[in-house]
């Protein structure tokens, strides 16, 4: 029993003794309540940069706050470039302040107490809380810096955006204008040219040896060529193309891309293109020659309707009795006070247009009179067009037809005279050297190439008009009109648009010929008509002298007779018997005969080029007194220039019986 009690007592001592010892040690090492309160106040109420931040997990009590000073953060304008460096500096500063906070908090504690395990636990907790607070403050500062940085970046972005927007606003009209300009500069046949280029490329690929081995591609390419040709048709501009043209264009592009993959030898393609170019140039040369030949052939060929008309008129003329074949007012034919026109033609319809257009535009003019010096002056007025007289000279074949036309279609009150050149007995080869030359076999061979060695290759030299004496009758005006002192010469391919009677009142200042000069174009100067390699020409004339135009010329016949112009013409014609001075026509001998004897008229009197030049100024045509269809494209031929034809056709009455019978239509 004693033993049991002893054992129990020892066990109790063993258990209780350590408890008592540990309790006593704990009391000695734990701080007092006041000290603990101060510690908690210091821990929960420290400030960062003047901003008190409390720990919500600890009780809040009023006490003295431990204020820690910190360096002021300065954010420069270049913070966007140094944000990383500033952040690292700020983090280092906050770590330094954390160490100061920890040292300031622990300075008030006894050093011996730090050995207590509970104090160590408390200090560890306090250190962790302070570090957590420092990290929160660092994050807040970083957020502040980031927010400021973002604000600066946003401001710069807005400024740049506004600047860029302004620039774009300025550039936008330019861009729109450039697009509009591009649309305006795009040619109207751009797509047509693309299709034609594709056809050329496709034909090149088909002709290359490498393509012939690929039957499928050849078949496809030929199909594409047919499709493009159908779509292209006769289109000359994009608006003429069908809607399917774009699809054909894209399909051909794909086929050509395949061909490019199959044939990549550029040398072969270049060689083929060069061969095609030479072939095209040769074809163009041949076509030009054929076109020239056909144009010359058409120019000297009378259309069927115009061939029918004189036959029909001639038949009708010989059905008339002798009394019905005379024109009225024949007493006016030699009256020098009237306005006289000379017209030499074998074309009935063309002569009718000249007379009709002249009478239509003739205004009321005073009658011309002749004083003692034979100079025209104006006295008593007469009603138009009775003071206008037309002298028409034609050949034997068209004499009856010409008379019948004007007998059936008299030009109002104007006087008409129709003469047969065969009746001019004074005009014979013994008097006229040109008539002798025209009847010679050598001249006929020259014009019609009966002997190629002696003929000229120029096709226009073979026009029969150069063998017609009607073409040279203009050099014999004083002989044709012996009692007249002034006459206005008109070609049969002109149209009169204004009153011409004012030409009679122009003072020619002693010149014989009044004409419009044509030196505005280089090919209308003397060197284009005369052979200046011949000393007779080079010694007497200026190669750069201005030429002038036949077709509308006012001739002073009194001066002509006084200066003996006809003999001058005969002299030069005799010297040109071998055609070494000039080759053809009446203009070269006219330039020589009337050298320094031509008075230049105002250009509006006579506008030329409507028979060969499609670019005659429209304003010049409208204001011209006379328009001239000189050239091969006469208005009565099918090869006429369409836009000029109406000026001629409006003076033709297509409802006239003879025109309808010969099927002559506008």
């Amino acid at each position: 029993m004693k033993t049991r009690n002893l054992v129990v007592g020892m066990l109790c001592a063993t258990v209780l003794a350590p408890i008592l010892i540990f309790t006593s040690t704990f009391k000695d090492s734990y701080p007092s309540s006041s000290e603990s309160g101060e510690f908690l106040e210091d821990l929960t109420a420290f400030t960062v940069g003047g901003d008190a931040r409390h720990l919500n997990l600890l009780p809040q009590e009023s006490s003295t706050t431990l204020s820690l000073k910190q360096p002021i953060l300065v954010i420069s304008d270049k913070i966007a470039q140094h944000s990383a460096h500033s952040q690292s500096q700020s983090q280092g500063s906050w770590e330094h302040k954390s160490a100061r906070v920890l040292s300031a908090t622990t300075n008030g504690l006894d050093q011996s107490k730090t050995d207590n395990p509970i104090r160590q636990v408390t200090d560890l907790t306090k250190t962790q809380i302070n570090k957590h607070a420092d990290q929160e403050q660092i994050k807040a500062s970083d957020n502040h810096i980031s927010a400021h940085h973002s604000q600066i970046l946003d401001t710069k972005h807005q400024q740049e955006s506004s600047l860029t927007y302004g620039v774009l606003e300025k550039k936008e009209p330019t861009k729109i204008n450039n697009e509009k300009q591009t649309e305006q500069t795009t040619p109207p046949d751009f797509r047509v040219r693309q299709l034609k280029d594709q056809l050329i490329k496709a034909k090149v690929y088909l002709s290359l040896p490498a393509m012939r081995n690929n039957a499928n591609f050849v078949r496809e390419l030929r199909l594409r060529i047919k499709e493009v040709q159908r779509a292209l048709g006769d289109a000359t501009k994009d608006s003429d193309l069908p809607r399917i043209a774009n699809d054909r264009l894209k399909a051909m592009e794909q086929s050509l891309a395949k061909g490019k993959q199959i044939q990549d030898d550029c040398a072969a393609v270049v060689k083929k293109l060069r061969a095609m170019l030479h072939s095209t140039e040769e074809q163009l040369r041949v076509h030009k020659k054929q076109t020239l030949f056909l144009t010359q052939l058409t120019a000297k060929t009378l259309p069927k309707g115009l061939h029918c008309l004189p036959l029909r008129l001639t038949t009708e003329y010989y059905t008339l009795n002798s009394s019905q074949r005379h024109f009225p007012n024949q007493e006016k034919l030699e009256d020098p006070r009237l306005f006289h026109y000379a017209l030499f033609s074998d074309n009935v319809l063309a002569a009718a247009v000249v007379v009709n257009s002249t009478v239509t535009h003739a205004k009321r003019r005073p009658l011309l009179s002749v004083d003692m010096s034979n100079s025209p002056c104006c006295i008593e007025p007469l009603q138009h067009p009775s003071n206008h007289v037309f002298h028409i000279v034609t050949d034997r074949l068209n004499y009856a037809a010409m008379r019948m036309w004007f007998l059936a279609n008299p030009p109002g009150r104007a006087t008409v005279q129709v003469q047969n050149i065969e009746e001019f007995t004074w005009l014979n080869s013994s008097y006229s050297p040109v008539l002798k030359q025209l009847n010679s076999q050598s001249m006929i061979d020259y014009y019609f190439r009966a002997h190629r060695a002696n003929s000229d290759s120029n096709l226009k030299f073979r026009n029969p008009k150069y063998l017609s004496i009607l073409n040279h009758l203009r050099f014999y005006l004083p002989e044709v009109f012996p009692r007249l002192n002034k006459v206005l010469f008109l070609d049969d391919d002109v149209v009169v648009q204004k009153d011409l009677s004012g030409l009679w009142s122009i003072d020619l200042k002693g010149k014989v010929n009044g004409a419009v000069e044509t030196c505005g174009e280089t090919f209308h100067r003397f060197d284009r008509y005369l052979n200046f390699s011949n000393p007779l020409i080079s010694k007497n004339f200026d190669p750069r002298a201005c030429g002038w135009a036949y077709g509308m010329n006012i001739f002073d016949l009194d001066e002509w007779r006084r200066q003996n112009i006809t003999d001058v013409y005969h002299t030069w014609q005799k010297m040109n018997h071998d055609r070494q001075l000039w080759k053809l026509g009446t203009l070269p001998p006219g330039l020589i005969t009337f050298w320094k004897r031509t008075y230049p008229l105002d250009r509006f009197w006579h506008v030329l080029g409507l028979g060969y030049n499609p670019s005659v100024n429209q304003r010049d045509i409208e204001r011209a007194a006379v328009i001239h269809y000189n050239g091969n494209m006469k208005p009565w031929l099918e090869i006429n220039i369409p836009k000029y034809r109406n000026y001629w056709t409006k003076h033709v009455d297509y409802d006239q019986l003879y025109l309808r019978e010969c099927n002559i239509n506008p």
Side-chain angles (χ1 to χ4, degrees):
M1 187 66 176
K2 292 181 178 181
T3 304
R4 187 178 62 180
N5 293 334
L6 181 61
V7 172
V8 172
M10 292 177 66
L11 289 173
C12 292
T14 304
V15 172
L16 296 175
I19 294 174
L20 295 175
I21 294 173
F22 181 78
T23 303
S24 177
T25 304
F26 179 77
K27 288 182 180 181
D28 294 337
S29 61
Y30 197 80
S32 62
S33 60
S34 61
E35 292 176 351
S36 177
E38 292 176 359
F39 168 73
L40 293 176
E41 288 180 358
D42 293 340
L43 182 62
T44 59
F46 72 93
T47 61
V48 179
D51 183 14
R53 299 179 181 272
H54 298 283
L55 300 179
N56 296 328
L57 296 178
L58 299 177
Q60 304 296 322
E61 296 180 359
S62 61
S63 61
T64 303
T65 303
L66 179 61
S67 179
L68 299 179
K69 294 182 179 180
Q70 61 175 344
I72 300 175
L73 297 176
V74 179
I75 301 176
S76 66
D77 294 337
K78 297 183 179 180
I79 191 168
Q81 301 178 0
H82 305 285
S83 59
H85 180 67
S86 300
Q87 184 175 355
S88 62
Q89 289 182 350
S90 299
Q91 185 174 357
S93 175
W94 285 112
E95 289 178 353
H96 176 67
K97 285 186 281 184
S98 298
R100 291 174 57 191
V101 171
L102 291 176
S103 62
T105 306
T106 56
N107 283 339
L109 301 178
D110 192 345
Q111 183 68 28
S112 62
K113 295 180 181 180
T114 58
D115 295 335
N116 193 316
I118 296 177
R119 179 57 61 91
Q120 292 178 359
V121 173
T122 306
D123 292 342
L124 179 61
T125 303
K126 181 181 65 174
T127 302
Q128 292 177 351
I129 292 173
N130 288 334
K131 286 184 177 181
H132 180 72
D134 291 340
Q135 291 177 358
E136 292 293 334
Q137 190 166 1
I138 290 171
K139 289 182 179 179
S141 178
D142 290 342
N143 292 335
H144 180 70
I145 294 171
S146 299
H148 188 69
H149 182 199
S150 300
Q151 184 178 2
I152 293 175
L153 292 178
D154 291 341
T155 303
K156 289 184 177 181
H157 180 69
Q158 291 176 358
Q159 293 176 353
E160 292 176 356
S161 299
S162 61
L163 181 60
T164 304
Y165 181 73
V167 173
L168 290 176
E169 283 182 336
K170 292 179 180 179
K171 289 184 177 180
E172 188 67 22
T174 305
K175 182 177 180 182
I176 295 173
N177 292 334
N178 291 336
E179 291 178 354
K180 292 182 178 179
Q181 186 176 3
T182 302
E183 293 177 357
Q184 293 176 355
T185 56
T186 301
D189 59 344
F190 178 73
R191 193 60 55 85
V192 173
R193 293 182 183 182
Q194 280 186 315
L195 292 172
K196 291 181 178 179
D197 290 342
Q198 286 184 341
L199 287 176
I200 295 175
K201 293 178 182 178
K203 292 177 181 179
V204 171
Y205 280 131
L206 282 179
S207 62
L208 297 176
M211 299 297 178
R212 298 171 185 171
N213 300 328
N214 194 332
N216 293 332
F217 176 73
V218 171
R219 192 181 304 108
E220 176 186 351
L221 198 57
R222 286 177 178 172
L223 177 62
R224 295 288 179 261
I225 291 176
K226 291 181 181 179
E227 292 175 348
V228 171
Q229 288 176 340
R230 292 194 197 99
L232 189 59
D234 297 329
T236 57
K237 52 186 178 181
D238 295 348
S239 59
D240 298 334
L241 294 173
R243 295 181 179 178
I244 201 173
N246 291 332
D247 297 334
R248 298 291 182 250
L249 181 67
K250 294 178 182 178
M252 179 62 87
E253 286 180 356
Q254 296 175 358
S255 299
L256 292 176
K258 294 179 183 178
K260 187 176 181 180
Q261 295 175 356
I262 298 173
Q263 173 63 44
D264 57 354
D265 186 4
C266 294
V269 176
V270 170
K271 183 178 180 181
K272 182 61 182 178
L273 287 173
R274 187 178 292 110
M276 292 178 63
L277 179 61
H278 291 323
S279 176
T280 303
E281 289 177 348
E282 180 63 22
Q283 292 178 7
L284 178 62
R285 186 188 66 81
V286 173
H287 288 319
K288 282 184 176 180
K289 188 174 181 179
Q290 291 177 349
T291 301
L292 179 61
F293 173 77
L294 294 174
T295 302
Q296 296 291 341
L297 180 63
T298 306
K300 64 183 182 181
T301 301
L302 196 65
K304 183 178 180 180
L306 294 182
H307 178 70
C308 165
L309 182 62
L311 295 177
R312 180 71 181 84
L313 290 171
T314 300
T315 303
E316 191 70 19
Y317 177 77
Y318 286 110
T319 62
L320 301 177
N321 56 47
S322 59
S323 62
Q324 295 175 322
R325 297 179 183 179
H326 298 290
F327 291 99
N329 303 322
Q330 294 298 294
E331 68 279 1
K332 297 182 179 180
L333 297 180
E334 296 182 349
D335 189 346
R337 300 175 301 169
L338 303 179
F339 305 107
H340 293 268
Y341 302 84
L343 176 60
F344 308 147
S345 174
D346 58 359
N347 189 326
V348 176
L349 195 58
V353 169
V354 175
V355 174
N356 291 341
S357 62
T358 304
V359 173
T360 299
H361 294 92
K363 296 180 180 179
R364 181 177 299 182
R365 284 278 181 171
L367 182 68
L368 291 174
S369 181
V370 181
D371 60 12
M372 296 300 295
S373 61
N374 292 331
S375 61
C377 62
C378 300
I379 52 174
E380 53 182 305
L382 290 180
Q383 295 288 335
H384 76 88
S386 60
N387 54 348
H388 294 265
V389 181
F390 295 90
H391 302 271
I392 302 173
V393 180
T394 186
D395 56 11
R396 181 176 56 182
L397 293 176
N398 296 280
Y399 174 71
M402 192 75 72
R403 290 183 66 88
M404 185 62 206
W405 175 268
F406 286 102
L407 287 171
N409 303 279
R413 296 177 59 187
T415 301
V416 175
Q417 178 190 27
V418 178
Q419 294 176 281
N420 181 4
I421 193 173
E422 304 274 341
E423 297 176 356
F424 296 159
T425 57
W426 52 266
L427 187 60
N428 50 59
S429 57
S430 61
Y431 174 70
S432 173
V434 67
L435 185 60
K436 183 177 180 179
Q437 293 173 7
L438 292 176
N439 293 331
S440 67
Q441 188 62 42
S442 61
M443 184 67 71
I444 296 174
D445 292 346
Y446 176 78
Y447 280 122
F448 292 97
R449 298 187 69 178
H451 301 287
R452 294 180 179 271
N454 299 326
S455 60
D456 198 288
S457 59
N458 197 327
L459 294 174
K460 68 180 180 180
F461 293 164
R462 292 185 281 167
N463 196 316
K465 72 178 183 179
Y466 298 120
L467 289 177
S468 173
I469 189 59
L470 279 175
N471 203 37
H472 295 267
L473 191 60
R474 65 192 68 189
F475 293 101
Y476 298 98
L477 292 178
E479 288 81 357
V480 177
F481 310 110
R483 298 182 179 274
L484 300 180
N485 50 33
K486 265 192 178 182
V487 65
L488 180 64
F489 172 79
L490 296 175
D491 269 341
D492 62 356
D493 55 353
V494 305
V495 172
V496 177
Q497 299 188 126
K498 294 183 179 180
D499 178 42
L500 300 180
S501 55
L503 289 169
W504 275 262
S505 61
I506 294 178
D507 182 10
L508 298 182
K509 301 184 183 304
K511 306 294 184 181
V512 177
N513 173 29
V516 173
E517 291 184 335
T518 57
C519 55
E521 303 178 26
T522 57
F523 63 86
H524 281 150
R525 297 186 182 271
F526 271 45
D527 59 348
R528 301 294 296 178
Y529 301 101
L530 305 177
N531 180 18
F532 277 87
S533 63
N534 190 295
L536 286 175
I537 297 297
S538 60
K539 290 179 181 179
N540 292 281
F541 306 101
D542 179 9
R544 303 304 300 165
C546 289
W548 45 268
Y550 265 128
M552 189 220 68
N553 307 79
I554 182 73
F555 289 105
D556 187 339
L557 300 185
D558 290 338
E559 281 294 327
W560 187 312
R561 298 183 186 98
R562 189 177 65 82
Q563 299 183 29
N564 203 5
I565 299 301
T566 302
D567 286 347
V568 174
Y569 168 69
H570 285 170
T571 301
W572 283 102
Q573 277 289 351
K574 291 176 181 179
M575 289 189 292
N576 193 45
H577 65 90
D578 55 356
R579 297 173 301 280
Q580 295 300 314
L581 305 183
W582 69 88
K583 290 185 177 181
L584 76 158
T586 56
L587 183 56
L591 296 176
I592 291 176
T593 302
F594 297 103
W595 169 248
K596 295 183 178 180
R597 299 180 179 93
T598 300
Y599 179 82
L601 300 177
D602 194 289
R603 289 185 60 188
F604 85 90
W605 282 109
H606 188 191
V607 171
L608 299 96
L610 278 71
Y612 70 90
N613 183 13
S615 302
V616 179
N617 188 286
Q618 188 69 27
R619 184 178 178 183
D620 291 343
I621 295 176
E622 297 295 339
R623 67 189 295 265
V626 174
I627 55 176
H628 195 171
Y629 293 85
N630 57 313
N632 289 322
M633 300 178 181
K634 303 299 184 184
W636 56 81
L637 300 177
E638 293 183 0
I639 59 172
N640 64 81
I641 301 176
K643 65 179 180 179
Y644 300 149
R645 191 168 188 266
N646 183 61
Y647 296 106
W648 188 85
T649 57
K650 66 183 180 181
H651 296 288
V652 179
D653 182 10
Y654 289 97
D655 293 330
Q656 211 275 344
L657 176 63
Y658 301 119
L659 297 185
R660 287 191 284 109
E661 289 180 348
C662 291
N663 197 27
I664 298 177
N665 301 308

